[in-house]
Protein backbone atom coordinates (compact mmCIF):
# COMPACT_ATOMS: atom_id res chain seq x y z
CA UNK A 1 0.00 0.00 0.00
CA UNK A 2 1.36 3.43 -0.96
CA UNK A 3 1.01 6.26 1.55
CA UNK A 4 -0.34 9.63 0.47
CA UNK A 5 2.55 12.11 -0.03
CA UNK A 6 4.91 9.13 -0.39
CA UNK A 7 8.16 10.26 -2.03
CA UNK A 8 8.66 8.65 -5.45
CA UNK A 9 11.92 9.09 -7.37
CA UNK A 10 11.61 9.91 -11.05
CA UNK A 11 14.40 8.42 -13.16
CA UNK A 12 14.69 11.50 -15.34
CA UNK A 13 16.29 14.91 -15.20
CA UNK A 14 13.98 16.39 -17.83
CA UNK A 15 12.25 19.46 -16.31
CA UNK A 16 9.18 19.08 -18.54
CA UNK A 17 8.68 15.47 -17.47
CA UNK A 18 9.21 16.28 -13.78
CA UNK A 19 6.46 18.94 -13.92
CA UNK A 20 4.13 16.69 -15.89
CA UNK A 21 4.52 13.79 -13.44
CA UNK A 22 4.09 15.99 -10.37
CA UNK A 23 0.91 17.50 -11.83
CA UNK A 24 -0.63 14.09 -12.63
CA UNK A 25 0.55 12.34 -9.45
CA UNK A 26 -0.41 15.16 -7.11
CA UNK A 27 -1.00 12.76 -4.16
CA UNK A 28 2.69 11.85 -4.15
CA UNK A 29 5.91 13.80 -3.87
CA UNK A 30 7.91 13.35 -7.08
CA UNK A 31 11.67 13.78 -6.58
CA UNK A 32 14.01 13.83 -9.60
CA UNK A 33 16.83 11.28 -9.36
CA UNK A 34 19.37 14.11 -9.71
CA UNK A 35 18.58 15.07 -6.10
CA UNK A 36 20.16 11.77 -5.06
CA UNK A 37 23.08 12.18 -7.50
CA UNK A 38 21.96 9.03 -9.28
CA UNK A 39 23.71 8.47 -12.60
CA UNK A 40 21.72 7.40 -15.63
CA UNK A 41 21.90 3.66 -16.25
CA UNK A 42 22.88 2.26 -19.64
CA UNK A 43 19.79 1.35 -21.70
CA UNK A 44 20.82 -2.14 -22.77
CA UNK A 45 17.33 -3.66 -23.19
CA UNK A 46 15.81 -4.40 -26.58
CA UNK A 47 12.30 -3.37 -25.58
CA UNK A 48 10.83 -0.19 -24.09
CA UNK A 49 9.64 -2.22 -21.08
CA UNK A 50 13.12 -3.60 -20.34
CA UNK A 51 14.71 -0.16 -20.54
CA UNK A 52 12.08 1.51 -18.38
CA UNK A 53 12.51 -1.30 -15.81
CA UNK A 54 16.30 -0.91 -15.82
CA UNK A 55 15.94 2.83 -15.16
CA UNK A 56 13.30 2.41 -12.44
CA UNK A 57 15.25 -0.32 -10.63
CA UNK A 58 18.45 1.73 -10.76
CA UNK A 59 16.69 4.79 -9.28
CA UNK A 60 15.04 2.68 -6.54
CA UNK A 61 18.31 0.92 -5.70
CA UNK A 62 20.28 4.12 -5.23
CA UNK A 63 17.55 6.12 -3.46
CA UNK A 64 16.01 3.29 -1.39
CA UNK A 65 12.62 4.74 -2.41
CA UNK A 66 9.88 3.69 -4.84
CA UNK A 67 10.69 4.86 -8.36
CA UNK A 68 9.10 5.64 -11.72
CA UNK A 69 10.85 5.57 -15.10
CA UNK A 70 9.75 5.98 -18.69
CA UNK A 71 11.02 4.88 -22.04
CA UNK A 72 9.57 5.99 -25.33
CA UNK A 73 10.24 6.10 -29.03
CA UNK A 74 8.98 5.77 -32.57
CA UNK A 75 8.25 2.43 -34.26
CA UNK A 76 8.03 2.40 -38.08
CA UNK A 77 6.57 -0.79 -39.58
CA UNK A 78 8.33 -0.55 -42.95
CA UNK A 79 11.68 -0.31 -41.12
CA UNK A 80 11.14 -3.44 -39.05
CA UNK A 81 10.29 -1.36 -35.98
CA UNK A 82 13.23 1.07 -36.22
CA UNK A 83 14.20 3.48 -34.77
CA UNK A 84 12.47 1.83 -31.76
CA UNK A 85 14.41 1.80 -28.50
CA UNK A 86 17.27 3.74 -30.09
CA UNK A 87 14.97 6.60 -31.23
CA UNK A 88 16.99 9.20 -29.30
CA UNK A 89 20.30 8.01 -30.80
CA UNK A 90 19.18 6.68 -34.21
CA UNK A 91 21.81 8.70 -36.08
CA UNK A 92 24.55 8.10 -33.47
CA UNK A 93 25.36 8.52 -29.78
CA UNK A 94 25.29 12.32 -29.74
CA UNK A 95 22.82 12.81 -32.57
CA UNK A 96 20.49 15.83 -32.51
CA UNK A 97 16.73 15.59 -33.14
CA UNK A 98 17.40 16.95 -36.62
CA UNK A 99 20.08 14.30 -37.37
CA UNK A 100 17.67 11.56 -36.31
CA UNK A 101 14.81 12.99 -38.34
CA UNK A 102 16.98 13.28 -41.47
CA UNK A 103 18.14 9.69 -41.05
CA UNK A 104 14.52 8.55 -40.76
CA UNK A 105 13.51 10.46 -43.91
CA UNK A 106 16.41 8.91 -45.79
CA UNK A 107 15.52 5.41 -44.56
CA UNK A 108 11.88 5.66 -45.68
CA UNK A 109 12.44 7.63 -48.90
CA UNK A 110 11.79 4.54 -51.04
CA UNK A 111 8.73 3.43 -49.05
CA UNK A 112 5.30 4.13 -50.61
CA UNK A 113 3.03 6.58 -48.75
CA UNK A 114 0.46 3.91 -47.89
CA UNK A 115 3.14 1.73 -46.26
CA UNK A 116 4.42 4.34 -43.83
CA UNK A 117 2.40 3.34 -40.79
CA UNK A 118 4.14 4.16 -37.50
CA UNK A 119 3.41 4.66 -33.83
CA UNK A 120 4.87 6.41 -30.83
CA UNK A 121 5.13 4.19 -27.75
CA UNK A 122 5.60 5.24 -24.16
CA UNK A 123 6.13 2.76 -21.35
CA UNK A 124 6.04 3.86 -17.72
CA UNK A 125 7.18 1.61 -14.93
CA UNK A 126 6.71 1.95 -11.18
CA UNK A 127 8.66 -0.22 -8.70
CA UNK A 128 8.23 -0.15 -4.92
CA UNK A 129 11.86 -1.19 -4.48
CA UNK A 130 14.80 -2.30 -6.63
CA UNK A 131 13.84 -6.00 -6.57
CA UNK A 132 10.08 -5.51 -6.83
CA UNK A 133 8.77 -8.68 -8.54
CA UNK A 134 5.46 -7.00 -9.51
CA UNK A 135 6.24 -3.68 -11.19
CA UNK A 136 3.30 -1.55 -12.34
CA UNK A 137 3.59 -1.18 -16.11
CA UNK A 138 1.59 1.28 -18.24
CA UNK A 139 1.88 1.54 -22.02
CA UNK A 140 0.51 4.25 -24.27
CA UNK A 141 0.41 3.98 -28.06
CA UNK A 142 -0.25 6.72 -30.64
CA UNK A 143 -0.86 5.60 -34.22
CA UNK A 144 0.16 7.71 -37.22
CA UNK A 145 2.29 7.65 -40.34
CA UNK A 146 5.53 9.21 -41.52
CA UNK A 147 5.42 12.03 -44.09
CA UNK A 148 8.34 13.19 -46.22
CA UNK A 149 8.02 16.90 -45.62
CA UNK A 150 8.60 18.12 -42.02
CA UNK A 151 5.90 20.55 -40.83
CA UNK A 152 5.27 22.45 -37.60
CA UNK A 153 7.31 24.08 -34.86
CA UNK A 154 5.90 22.51 -31.70
CA UNK A 155 7.03 19.40 -29.89
CA UNK A 156 10.40 17.75 -30.42
CA UNK A 157 12.06 14.70 -31.95
CA UNK A 158 10.10 13.14 -34.78
CA UNK A 159 6.99 15.31 -34.31
CA UNK A 160 7.44 17.26 -37.57
CA UNK A 161 7.09 14.07 -39.67
CA UNK A 162 4.47 12.20 -37.58
CA UNK A 163 1.14 12.61 -39.38
CA UNK A 164 -2.01 12.63 -37.25
CA UNK A 165 -4.81 11.59 -39.60
CA UNK A 166 -7.70 12.84 -37.46
CA UNK A 167 -6.36 16.41 -37.34
CA UNK A 168 -4.82 16.41 -40.81
CA UNK A 169 -1.51 17.74 -39.56
CA UNK A 170 1.76 16.59 -37.99
CA UNK A 171 2.12 16.27 -34.23
CA UNK A 172 4.44 19.30 -34.37
CA UNK A 173 1.42 21.34 -35.54
CA UNK A 174 -0.72 20.41 -32.52
CA UNK A 175 -0.95 22.55 -29.38
CA UNK A 176 0.78 21.07 -26.33
CA UNK A 177 -2.61 20.50 -24.71
CA UNK A 178 -4.06 18.58 -27.64
CA UNK A 179 -0.85 16.57 -28.01
CA UNK A 180 -1.09 15.54 -24.33
CA UNK A 181 -4.68 14.42 -24.84
CA UNK A 182 -3.78 12.23 -27.85
CA UNK A 183 -0.21 11.17 -27.24
CA UNK A 184 1.42 7.93 -26.15
CA UNK A 185 2.88 9.74 -23.12
CA UNK A 186 -0.45 11.25 -22.06
CA UNK A 187 -2.17 7.86 -22.36
CA UNK A 188 0.55 6.03 -20.40
CA UNK A 189 0.59 8.69 -17.70
CA UNK A 190 -3.18 8.55 -17.23
CA UNK A 191 -3.03 4.74 -17.01
CA UNK A 192 -0.21 4.81 -14.46
CA UNK A 193 -2.02 7.44 -12.40
CA UNK A 194 -5.10 5.18 -12.19
CA UNK A 195 -3.04 2.12 -11.26
CA UNK A 196 -1.13 3.98 -8.53
CA UNK A 197 -4.37 5.44 -7.15
CA UNK A 198 -5.56 1.83 -6.66
CA UNK A 199 -2.30 0.93 -4.92
CA UNK A 200 -2.76 3.93 -2.62
CA UNK A 201 -6.14 2.46 -1.67
P1 LIG B 1 12.59 9.56 -24.26
O1 LIG B 1 12.78 8.12 -23.92
O2 LIG B 1 11.27 10.08 -23.79
O3 LIG B 1 13.74 10.43 -23.91
O4 LIG B 1 12.44 9.62 -25.86
C1 LIG B 1 13.22 8.87 -26.74
C2 LIG B 1 13.16 9.46 -28.12
O5 LIG B 1 11.95 9.05 -28.77
C3 LIG B 1 13.16 10.98 -28.18
O6 LIG B 1 14.46 11.48 -28.16
C4 LIG B 1 12.49 11.22 -29.53
O7 LIG B 1 13.41 11.03 -30.56
C5 LIG B 1 11.48 10.08 -29.60
N1 LIG B 1 10.18 10.52 -29.05
C6 LIG B 1 9.57 10.05 -27.93
N2 LIG B 1 8.40 10.69 -27.74
C7 LIG B 1 8.29 11.57 -28.74
C8 LIG B 1 7.28 12.56 -29.08
O8 LIG B 1 6.27 12.75 -28.38
N3 LIG B 1 7.52 13.28 -30.19
C9 LIG B 1 8.61 13.11 -30.97
N4 LIG B 1 9.57 12.24 -30.71
C10 LIG B 1 9.42 11.46 -29.60
Amino acid sequence: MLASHQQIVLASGNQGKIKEFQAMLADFSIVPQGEFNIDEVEETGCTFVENALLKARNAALHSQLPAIADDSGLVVDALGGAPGVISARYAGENASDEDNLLKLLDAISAVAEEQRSARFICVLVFVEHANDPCPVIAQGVWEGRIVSEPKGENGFGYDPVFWVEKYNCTSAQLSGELKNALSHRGKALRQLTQQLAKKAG
Side-chain angles (χ1 to χ4, degrees):
M1 180 78 79
L2 276 175
S4 185
H5 304 299
Q6 164 77 52
Q7 280 199 321
I8 300 178
V9 180
L10 180 64
S12 171
N14 180 307
Q15 283 306 319
K17 284 185 192 170
I18 296 163
K19 273 195 196 151
E20 208 178 357
F21 277 88
Q22 187 60 80
M24 287 291 283
L25 299 169
D27 282 348
F28 306 108
S29 170
I30 303 298
V31 191
Q33 68 176 9
E35 288 195 16
F36 296 90
N37 295 319
I38 299 171
D39 287 333
E40 285 181 7
V41 69
E42 213 187 324
E43 296 181 28
T44 52
C46 56
T47 62
F48 298 105
V49 172
E50 286 166 286
N51 284 337
L53 257 173
L54 280 172
K55 291 188 250 186
R57 291 200 195 286
N58 179 62
L61 178 68
H62 295 289
S63 64
Q64 295 296 303
L65 285 170
I68 292 177
D70 75 326
D71 199 44
S72 64
L74 178 71
V75 170
V76 181
D77 292 322
L79 302 178
V85 292
I86 61 155
S87 289
R89 47 184 199 285
Y90 187 39
E93 249 344 289
N94 298 311
S96 65
D97 278 359
E98 194 187 354
D99 297 334
N100 290 329
L101 193 145
L102 290 175
K103 178 164 177 181
L104 175 67
L105 288 181
D106 186 47
I108 56 149
S109 59
V111 177
E113 291 289 323
E114 63 279 9
Q115 279 161 14
R116 291 183 176 200
S117 53
R119 62 205 55 81
F120 279 124
I121 309 276
C122 176
V123 171
L124 296 176
V125 165
F126 167 88
V127 291
E128 284 205 51
H129 54 83
N131 299 317
D132 188 346
C134 299
V136 176
I137 298 176
Q139 177 166 296
V141 179
W142 192 15
E143 297 286 342
R145 72 184 162 86
I146 305 303
V147 290
S148 299
E149 202 188 316
K151 282 198 178 110
E153 308 294 329
N154 302 332
F156 66 102
Y158 300 97
D159 279 328
V161 293
F162 186 77
W163 192 257
V164 184
E165 213 66 61
K166 187 171 174 196
Y167 290 87
N168 211 27
C169 66
T170 69
S171 48
Q173 292 176 298
L174 297 172
S175 68
E177 211 174 50
L178 185 51
K179 186 181 168 192
N180 280 343
L182 302 172
S183 81
H184 51 313
R185 194 167 295 100
K187 287 174 188 159
L189 199 47
R190 286 189 288 278
Q191 253 183 52
L192 186 80
T193 307
Q194 281 176 6
Q195 294 187 59
L196 290 189
K198 281 188 206 148
K199 255 187 167 330

